[in-house]
């Protein structure tokens, strides 16, 4: 079954929130990692998470969902 645009946008927004929370946690790990291996693993995960966030933002922009934020001002 196809998702509605609103449903897909809501799912993307939820993914963004989760991604931002994950990136925040990873920044702490990167800054305070006790060893290089742990820091490197966190950086790799951080990069992948940022990529996923960008993909969701691009999809929301393409769907016109971000322009609604412009109209809110």
């Amino acid at each position: 079954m196809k998702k509605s645009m609103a449903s897909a946008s809501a799912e993307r927004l939820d993914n963004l929130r989760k991604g931002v929370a994950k990136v925040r946690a990873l920044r702490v790990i990167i800054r305070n990692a006790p060893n290089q291996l742990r820091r490197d693993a966190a950086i790799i995960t951080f990069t992948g998470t940022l990529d996923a966030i960008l993909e969701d933002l691009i999809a929301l922009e393409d769907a016109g969902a971000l322009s609604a934020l412009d109209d809110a001002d």
Side-chain angles (χ1 to χ4, degrees):
M1 176 181 284
K2 277 191 162 183
K3 293 182 185 179
S4 70
M5 187 182 301
S7 175
S9 293
E11 185 177 328
R12 294 256 185 205
L13 186 58
D14 187 51
N15 289 343
L16 283 171
R17 286 187 179 114
K18 290 175 184 174
V20 168
K22 188 174 184 177
V23 164
R24 284 181 175 163
L26 287 165
R27 281 186 357 183
V28 172
I29 293 169
I30 291 166
R31 288 184 185 139
N32 302 317
N35 60 57
Q36 189 66 40
L37 185 61
R38 176 107 164 117
R39 187 176 3 266
D40 289 350
I43 290 169
I44 291 167
T45 303
F46 182 89
T47 304
T49 304
L50 284 179
D51 186 56
I53 288 171
L54 287 173
E55 289 296 324
D56 286 332
L57 284 170
I58 290 167
L60 287 168
E61 176 65 23
D62 290 348
L66 295 183
S67 60
L69 296 174
D70 290 335
D71 297 339
D73 291 339

